[in-house]
Amino acid sequence: MTVFISLHQNWQHHQQHHPGPSPSPTAAIWFKCPKGKCDEDKIIIFHSNKPSKAQEGYKQRVSLLETDLTKNNCSVIINDISENDAGEYQFRLPGSNTSQKKVKITVTPPKASSWTITFSPAEITAEKGLCAVISCTFTHPDNIKPTAAIWFKCPASDRCDKVKNIIFHSETPSKAQKAYKQRVSLLETDLTKKNCSVIINDIRENDAGEYQFRLPSSYTYPKKVSITVSALTQKPSVLTPALTEGEPATLTCTAPGICSGTPPNITWTWRGTGDNITEEDLTTVTTTHFSTLTFTPSAKHHGTNVTCLVTFNGRITTKKTLTMNISGCNTVREGDTLNLTCSDDSCPPSSSNITWSKKGTTALERNNSGRAILIISNMTREHAGEYVCTAQHHSRSLTASTVVTVMCEYKQRCSDRLKMACDMLLPLNCLWFISPLMTCVCVCVTQGVPLPFIRWLTLKEYSFTTSVLMFSVNSTISLPVRNHTNTTMECVSRNEAGRVREVQVTQIEKQEGKDTS
């Protein structure tokens, strides 16, 4: 087992004095003595003029404390001491006799260090846009009272603990690198609790690397923690309650990560938009971000998708899409499938004869198992109405009904009730009256559930009348055309089911002295 006394271990120096006019020493040699003769080339551990002669295990570990040998100082330092370094050592000046005196080094196991640091984990993977938490604890000698903390980001080929590498300084925040200012904070500011954990927000690709911790004016902990940065894979979570037709509901989208950095932008993609981002503080440095979408479910929402999109730092995105499932829905879109279920919940269970029928029609579905399911595909407006479920049990008869509404919208159609002989086109049922004033009359008819409304676009001065009959809306418009030979007419119909429009250009060739009104 290798035992380290410390990073740097000094031992007593040995001096060699030279009386008389002997030449000034120009080199120094140190040997590690085996059991036999000491001053042999194979046991050299240091040669000031020829470093390559040193044993492999001692190269670059041994150095003179004073390189000027005329000062009669032959002290050396041996770094990274291990138990193999125990033994006797001898000094020699090349071309002179080897000193008879030897120095002995004894290596003892070190005491447990008072300076320790523990990372959990020591290797961290963080996703872009989120945050990384370095969880760590540390110990120190009892006489040390920590008042500040420093974190460094280690360069590829240099020491970590340099001022230029500081990413966080609890006492002097301005010392942190610009890219890390206001992105790094301690999870516990009371350092007497020996907690050095930090959170790094708004993780970027260049945050990958090793980090080191230091107590100012005391000690830099040699152990490091590593952060790896990967692409954003986490999805937002969308909390969806049971959706029932006609009952207000709120969807909640929570952004991934619990970070206190730049709030993400949360948007909903759907028929409506969500509320502004709401933040819920969990601790002083960790925050969850969420957005809510409140609406009243109806048939038009059934089977549609709603997407929550979360954007970090304006460029990193993640999203979650859900398909809406509306229960208790007796309103269907035109073209959808209707599914009605009727069951007899008698106790004890019976084999009632159950029949589905549309009011005023013959039976549509019959079953004698106590449960009947009526399925109608490709719903049209003719399918709208009241459906009745009848359960016949012995001599008793029970009924229940539900009203089914079909949401539909029909494209505008032109009426042909008005006829006129004049030289023009009538694509939107627009009629020209040439004398005494040039006047155009257009009729637009639309039908739908819910009842649609009509707007006329691209017109400046006009008058119109609107009439309603059942689910039909009739709008008639009159406008002066004066010297225009062609006019664009646009009729737009809209309801909750959608929006349709009809655009036509009417044309007339001026006919002098002719009155066709």
Side-chain angles (χ1 to χ4, degrees):
M1 182 181 70
T2 300
V3 178
F4 291 94
I5 292 176
S6 68
L7 187 61
H8 298 288
Q9 174 67 40
N10 294 322
W11 61 286
Q12 287 284 341
H13 72 273
H14 177 80
Q15 293 183 341
Q16 176 81 9
H17 294 278
H18 302 277
S22 39
S24 298
T26 58
I29 302 175
W30 276 95
F31 303 91
K32 184 184 180 196
C33 303
K35 292 182 179 179
K37 189 177 179 181
C38 205
D39 56 348
E40 296 181 353
D41 284 356
K42 65 180 181 180
I43 56 174
I44 292 175
I45 66 162
F46 176 79
H47 195 302
S48 61
N49 283 0
K50 300 177 181 178
S52 61
K53 284 193 172 185
Q55 293 180 39
E56 197 62 37
Y58 285 89
K59 287 180 179 178
Q60 298 182 342
R61 285 208 299 134
V62 185
S63 58
L64 288 169
L65 292 183
E66 174 56 68
T67 57
D68 185 357
L69 294 174
T70 62
K71 295 182 179 181
N72 296 331
N73 187 346
C74 54
S75 301
V76 290
I77 182 170
I78 303 176
N79 292 300
D80 302 332
I81 286 290
S82 71
E83 62 180 5
N84 294 328
D85 295 324
E88 291 184 322
Y89 292 80
Q90 198 170 32
F91 175 72
R92 178 182 178 184
L93 291 174
S96 304
N97 293 328
T98 302
S99 170
Q100 297 301 311
K101 290 186 178 181
K102 299 175 184 176
V103 63
K104 185 176 181 179
I105 293 179
T106 301
V107 179
T108 57
K111 295 181 180 179
S113 174
S114 298
W115 301 96
T116 64
I117 191 167
T118 303
F119 297 109
S120 180
E123 296 182 357
I124 300 167
T125 299
E127 296 188 7
K128 291 181 185 177
L130 302 184
C131 56
V133 175
I134 299 176
S135 178
C136 75
T137 57
F138 66 98
T139 63
H140 54 77
D142 293 338
N143 63 329
I144 299 296
K145 303 298 180 184
T147 59
I150 300 177
W151 277 94
F152 304 92
K153 184 172 188 287
C154 303
S157 58
D158 197 2
R159 281 175 47 200
C160 282
D161 56 348
K162 291 184 176 181
V163 174
K164 66 179 181 179
N165 298 327
I166 293 175
I167 66 163
F168 175 80
H169 195 301
S170 61
E171 275 189 342
T172 316
S174 60
K175 287 187 176 181
Q177 295 179 28
K178 184 178 180 180
Y180 286 90
K181 285 181 180 177
Q182 299 183 339
R183 285 207 297 134
V184 187
S185 54
L186 287 170
L187 293 184
E188 174 56 66
T189 56
D190 185 356
L191 293 171
T192 62
K193 295 182 179 180
K194 300 178 180 179
N195 187 343
C196 49
S197 302
V198 290
I199 182 171
I200 304 175
N201 288 299
D202 301 335
I203 284 291
R204 307 161 187 174
E205 192 168 351
N206 53 10
D207 290 332
E210 291 185 321
Y211 294 80
Q212 194 172 34
F213 177 69
R214 174 176 172 77
L215 293 178
S217 304
S218 299
Y219 187 68
T220 299
Y221 291 84
K223 194 174 180 181
K224 301 169 186 174
V225 61
S226 174
I227 294 180
T228 302
V229 178
S230 64
L232 179 61
T233 59
Q234 295 186 48
K235 302 290 184 183
S237 62
V238 179
L239 179 62
T240 308
L243 302 177
T244 303
E245 184 183 26
E247 296 183 8
T250 298
L251 308 184
T252 302
C253 177
T254 303
I258 304 176
C259 305
S260 57
T262 306
N265 183 38
I266 303 178
T267 56
W268 296 89
T269 303
W270 186 57
R271 296 179 183 273
T273 58
D275 298 335
N276 292 332
I277 294 177
T278 306
E279 299 181 11
E280 176 186 356
D281 288 334
L282 301 182
T283 68
T284 56
V285 293
T286 59
T287 306
T288 181
H289 305 276
F290 62 91
S291 175
T292 58
L293 174 66
T294 301
F295 70 108
T296 301
S298 66
K300 69 180 181 181
H301 302 124
H302 185 69
T304 61
N305 291 335
V306 60
T307 299
C308 174
L309 176 68
V310 180
T311 304
F312 293 96
N313 300 321
R315 62 187 185 278
I316 303 170
T317 62
T318 180
K319 64 182 179 179
K320 182 72 171 288
T321 299
L322 298 177
T323 300
M324 308 270 252
N325 184 18
I326 313 298
S327 62
C329 188
N330 292 334
T331 302
V332 295
R333 284 174 173 272
E334 191 174 25
D336 286 352
T337 298
L338 176 69
N339 190 322
L340 296 177
T341 300
C342 183
S343 60
D344 178 4
D345 296 328
S346 61
C347 184
S350 66
S351 56
S352 300
N353 184 19
I354 298 181
T355 303
W356 271 111
S357 63
K358 189 178 179 186
K359 197 166 187 179
T361 64
T362 58
L364 301 174
E365 179 68 27
R366 180 177 285 109
N367 196 298
N368 60 5
S369 65
R371 180 184 178 92
I373 300 176
L374 174 64
I375 298 176
I376 302 177
S377 301
N378 196 23
M379 292 286 287
T380 66
R381 60 175 177 163
E382 285 75 19
H383 291 116
E386 183 178 8
Y387 287 78
V388 180
C389 171
T390 302
Q392 189 71 37
H393 182 59
H394 299 304
S395 59
R396 297 186 60 192
S397 178
L398 299 175
T399 62
S401 65
T402 183
V403 176
V404 174
T405 302
V406 179
M407 294 183 66
C408 58
E409 177 152 351
Y410 297 88
K411 247 194 159 183
Q412 296 93 326
R413 55 187 175 83
C414 294
S415 169
D416 58 359
R417 292 174 297 170
L418 298 177
K419 297 290 183 182
M420 178 179 178
C422 63
D423 191 7
M424 65 181 180
L425 301 176
L426 306 174
L428 189 68
N429 196 33
C430 295
L431 307 179
W432 290 87
F433 295 88
I434 300 175
S435 178
L437 296 175
M438 292 185 67
T439 304
C440 181
V441 177
C442 293
V443 178
C444 185
V445 178
T446 184
Q447 292 180 316
V449 177
L451 196 67
F453 65 89
I454 292 176
R455 288 184 62 195
W456 293 91
L457 303 181
T458 66
L459 300 176
K460 293 184 179 179
E461 67 181 282
Y462 61 91
S463 61
F464 70 95
T465 59
T466 301
S467 61
V468 177
L469 178 63
M470 296 296 287
F471 297 111
S472 296
V473 180
N474 184 313
S475 181
T476 302
I477 188 172
S478 300
L479 73 159
V481 182
R482 298 186 175 89
N483 296 326
H484 297 287
T485 57
N486 58 73
T487 299
T488 299
M489 314 294 293
E490 184 172 2
C491 174
V492 178
S493 173
R494 180 198 298 270
N495 69 0
E496 293 181 11
R499 174 181 181 272
V500 292
R501 69 176 186 165
E502 188 78 14
V503 180
Q504 298 291 345
V505 176
T506 65
Q507 297 176 328
I508 181 171
E509 292 184 5
K510 192 173 181 181
Q511 302 179 30
E512 299 293 342
K514 182 178 180 181
D515 185 352
T516 57
S517 61

